Amino acid sequence: MTRFRLITTWLLLLIPTLLLGIGALYLLKGEEDRLERSARATARDRISAIAGNIDLAVAEVKDGLVETLRGLPQGGILRQTDLLEDWKRGNPLVRNVFVWEGGRGLRYPDPEMPSSDEEADFIRRYLPLFADQAAWQAPPDDSRGAASEDMASSILLERRELRQLAKQAPIASEASADRAAAPGAGLAGAPGAGLAGAAIGASGWRPWFADNRLHLLGWYETDGGSRRIGFEVEMMALLSRLLGNFPPDAPYGETIALIDGNGDIFHQVGPLEISADSRPLAAASVASLPHWMVTAYPNADGGRSGTGFLLISSLLVGTFVVAILLGGSLLLWQAHRNQVDARQKTSFVSNVSHELKTPLTTIRMYAEMLGEKRIEDAGRQQSYLRTIIRESQRLTRLVNNVLDFSRLEQGRKAFAKEEIALPSLLHELLDSQQVRLEDAGMQLIREVDAAVAPIESDRDALEQIVLNLVDNAIKYAAEGKSLTVELQQQKGGPVVRFKDDGPGIPAGHRGRIFDKFHRVDASLTARQQGSGLGLSIARQLAEGLGGSLSFCPNTGGGCCFELTLPARSDR
Ligand code: ADP
């Protein structure tokens, strides 16, 4: 597979996979937005319900209080204030009571002589109202608030009607019917309905802001609208009773809070530490408590479904994309390796055939000439015979290499170990190569330490390693003119180095020259023929003997191959 085809195939895998991943992420993002929106809508519904319930509860309290107030017996102002005071003392929802008259201002408590600090404070708080400088009915806070208040009061109206219907007594006679329709029987606040004999008019509510806090004032008109009897609600008592409208536990991943007009948290369910930076999920104003809000916040731990959903699904998509790319790349790499192997085997077969052909041709040619007795000169005859012997030895080495290779590949190579005196074996082997080296114009330098201890090894394998390394020096480094063979004793065992002054091995090939079939110049037209097996076999044999064979660049620029062998273990 050419590099171009490899890259194209990989791109064909990469681009659709990435498109798939991006598409999936896009869809997941849309799904996350949808989840986020539905979570917001649910939170909005939930807090609107809480705000609505609070409104309803406040409206019921307001309604109840005004109804009770209307139900108090009428009379002179003194008797009335006594009754109002009794009522205040007995009802925790009432903080202050008052009587106000048009034109005369506040009649009770006496603005000149308040009986307590609380009364003095009450008069001070509502001074503009009692001086008729402020409207007794507050305009609705906003359209939304007004709508929700309208809804609360219409629900309330229905409840009141039902209550009245349930209380309805049997119609006995006209007189008793009249009696039944009298005190408190009409709808509170409805025009015309009122206590017996008293001309009771409209009623009203006034949210009032003083000392940075919200207060609620309720009243009704009597005496043809000239007198207003009213009360101030005890806000803490009211608010603490409203908290029952909150769920006891926060919904998953959310914190819900009731926030007052100053932005302070009055009550919350849920673990979030709410600060000015907290971004609310949804908010609903409480119409009956102007500027108060019920607000839902997502918890900081990312408990909201959307965030976790996108994170986990992105991780899954990422894993799929990586798995597809890794799997695809692995298959491509495998296909590439198979192709390289197939190509190497083909080139190995042609290289070996080529290498076999050259000595065979030479041997045949010289043998034919000698056989036809065309050469009469005895010297030349000897030279031809030497060539035939040399070439047949080359053939033997080549065939031995191929056989060793196949045995090593199949794991069938057996080593026959015996005690070997390495210095004498090395001299023996080098002696046999001396003539070849000289013929190639190379000088053989021996630096063999005769004191190197004997080892346990396989003679044939060692010979094969040495011959392969000498062969390479003759093939590739002849122009360097010398081959130095060193033998030293080292701590772990003997070390043999083969150093030449040839061209060396280009840096890019050094890591691969021990790979099977790898040649620096792999073309059939290479200056030196070879199969790319010599070094690979030599290393495998060295390792099979318990040692190693490695490349070490020669300081002179040529090659240095280092063969280490294990010392004989003491038995
Ligand atoms: P072959 O000699 O059959 O090609 P080898 O495995 O013996 O296979 O060698 C691998 C490659 O290493 C050779 O093709 C050659 O390019 C390079 N090589 C080996 N020995 C030497 C050396 N002494 N000097 C320069 N190059 C060498």
Side-chain angles (χ1 to χ4, degrees):
M1 201 180 279
T2 62
R3 182 177 291 263
F4 174 75
R5 270 180 59 197
L6 199 71
I7 292 173
T8 319
T9 321
W10 199 73
L11 282 179
L12 281 175
L13 176 77
L14 179 76
I15 294 168
T17 311
L18 284 184
L19 284 178
L20 201 82
I22 292 167
L25 281 181
Y26 180 77
L27 286 179
L28 287 172
K29 181 81 188 74
E31 192 59 15
E32 186 216 35
D33 288 348
R34 205 185 58 75
L35 272 176
E36 191 72 37
R37 275 200 303 278
S38 84
R40 270 180 199 285
T42 315
R44 208 168 28 243
D45 289 351
R46 193 180 296 125
I47 58 167
S48 294
I50 295 173
N53 282 343
I54 290 177
D55 273 339
L56 213 57
V58 172
E60 266 190 343
V61 168
K62 283 173 172 180
D63 191 48
L65 287 173
V66 172
E67 210 176 321
T68 317
L69 188 62
R70 281 176 187 281
L72 290 180
Q74 302 295 305
I77 189 157
L78 275 175
R79 176 165 149 61
Q80 219 156 30
T81 53
D82 277 353
L83 284 169
L84 284 172
E85 274 301 321
D86 283 350
W87 182 51
K88 178 178 101 179
R89 265 192 299 278
N91 193 331
L93 286 171
V94 180
R95 186 174 175 187
N96 284 295
V97 286
F98 68 90
V99 179
W100 180 88
E101 283 177 6
R104 298 177 69 180
L106 191 63
R107 299 292 313 280
Y108 182 83
D110 187 354
E112 305 299 324
M113 263 200 312
S115 67
S116 64
D117 287 351
E118 171 61 37
E119 270 187 14
D121 225 30
F122 170 66
I123 296 163
R124 179 191 57 77
R125 272 204 299 276
Y126 293 91
L127 218 53
L129 188 76
F130 294 142
D132 230 358
Q133 288 160 0
W136 280 80
Q137 287 275 21
D141 196 24
D142 55 34
S143 55
R144 206 177 100 86
S148 118
E149 193 151 73
D150 279 356
M151 207 170 82
S153 52
S154 85
I155 295 174
L156 213 62
L157 203 68
E158 274 172 29
R159 284 195 190 174
R160 240 185 262 138
E161 276 174 358
L162 273 175
R163 209 164 42 221
Q164 291 307 325
L165 213 59
K167 280 186 190 169
Q168 203 166 314
I171 306 164
S173 65
E174 254 181 52
S176 57
D178 281 350
R179 247 193 337 272
L187 293 180
L195 299 160
I200 293 173
S203 64
W205 276 93
R206 181 69 163 99
W208 190 256
F209 292 94
D211 305 334
N212 257 342
R213 290 176 65 182
L214 170 71
H215 305 271
L216 284 177
L217 204 75
W219 49 266
Y220 78 91
E221 283 176 352
T222 178
D223 289 344
S226 61
R227 184 183 287 176
R228 281 185 182 145
I229 298 174
F231 60 91
E232 186 194 34
V233 173
E234 178 56 81
M235 288 304 281
M236 281 323 277
L238 170 67
L239 290 168
S240 58
R241 281 164 176 79
L242 295 180
L243 301 184
N245 292 296
F246 268 75
D249 300 310
Y252 175 70
E254 270 178 38
T255 291
I256 299 179
L258 178 63
I259 294 174
D260 71 14
N262 298 323
D264 295 330
I265 298 155
F266 181 78
H267 176 71
Q268 88 170 62
V269 282
L272 183 73
E273 276 191 32
I274 300 165
S275 69
D277 300 334
S278 307
R279 228 164 52 89
L281 199 60
S285 52
V286 185
S288 51
L289 304 173
H291 304 306
W292 283 56
M293 311 273 285
V294 180
T295 312
Y297 296 91
N299 288 343
D301 59 5
R304 289 236 58 78
S305 44
T307 333
F309 171 78
L310 189 69
L311 190 78
I312 291 171
S313 40
S314 305
L315 275 176
L316 276 178
V317 170
T319 315
F320 278 133
V321 168
V322 170
I324 292 174
L325 285 180
L326 272 182
S329 305
L330 211 71
L331 285 177
L332 270 179
W333 182 80
Q334 192 59 44
H336 175 68
R337 284 278 350 139
N338 288 346
Q339 210 165 34
V340 168
D341 274 3
R343 211 181 309 133
Q344 275 182 336
K345 275 176 192 155
T346 317
S347 103
F348 164 73
V349 171
S350 23
N351 278 335
V352 169
S353 318
H354 208 66
E355 241 189 311
L356 288 171
K357 206 173 145 193
T358 318
L360 278 175
T361 314
T362 315
I363 291 168
R364 212 182 91 198
M365 194 177 77
Y366 284 112
E368 274 174 8
M369 285 204 288
L370 289 172
E372 287 166 9
K373 298 203 169 58
R374 277 199 271 149
I375 312 296
E376 275 150 27
D377 179 25
R380 281 183 71 194
Q381 281 179 353
Q382 278 303 313
S383 153
Y384 284 4
L385 275 174
R386 268 204 310 276
T387 306
I388 290 172
I389 293 167
R390 199 179 57 229
E391 290 299 299
S392 52
Q393 282 170 343
R394 191 170 139 194
L395 273 179
T396 310
R397 282 199 305 277
L398 187 67
V399 171
N400 278 346
N401 257 349
V402 175
L403 286 176
D404 264 345
F405 172 70
S406 96
R407 278 191 210 111
L408 285 163
E409 280 291 288
Q410 292 167 23
R412 285 193 297 113
K413 175 74 185 166
F415 295 98
K417 291 199 177 167
E418 57 184 304
E419 186 176 292
I420 292 171
L422 203 51
S424 56
L425 174 70
L426 205 55
H427 278 305
E428 206 179 291
L429 292 172
L430 292 175
D431 284 347
S432 71
Q433 300 303 311
Q434 183 87 37
V435 182
R436 287 181 67 213
L437 284 158
E438 276 166 16
D439 285 353
M442 291 182 87
Q443 188 197 355
L444 177 65
I445 303 163
R446 306 181 194 206
E447 292 175 5
V448 176
D449 180 358
V452 167
I455 55 166
E456 285 271 322
S457 204
D458 180 318
R459 182 176 289 269
D460 290 344
L462 283 175
E463 183 178 340
Q464 191 77 4
I465 297 169
V466 171
L467 290 187
N468 278 352
L469 293 173
V470 172
D471 239 20
N472 278 352
I474 294 170
K475 268 158 63 177
Y476 304 111
E479 61 216 47
K481 301 284 179 225
S482 73
L483 170 68
T484 307
V485 179
E486 287 175 9
L487 171 62
Q488 288 171 358
Q489 180 70 50
Q490 283 192 355
K491 231 176 161 190
V495 174
V496 195
R497 289 193 196 89
F498 297 80
K499 296 178 182 174
D500 62 52
D501 302 317
I505 295 187
H509 286 270
R510 280 178 201 162
R512 294 158 63 202
I513 47 168
F514 293 98
D515 291 352
K516 56 186 178 189
F517 309 130
H518 185 81
R519 306 199 67 215
V520 173
D521 180 357
S523 63
L524 274 179
T525 52
R527 261 178 64 197
Q528 291 297 339
Q529 289 166 10
S531 53
L533 284 182
L535 287 178
S536 158
I537 290 170
R539 174 175 269 184
Q540 290 187 63
L541 289 174
E543 286 170 356
L545 293 174
S548 67
L549 179 67
S550 54
F551 175 78
C552 43
N554 200 352
T555 38
C559 283
C560 162
F561 290 97
E562 187 177 88
L563 167 71
T564 64
L565 291 165
R568 186 169 59 165
S569 54
D570 292 326
R571 272 169 282 168

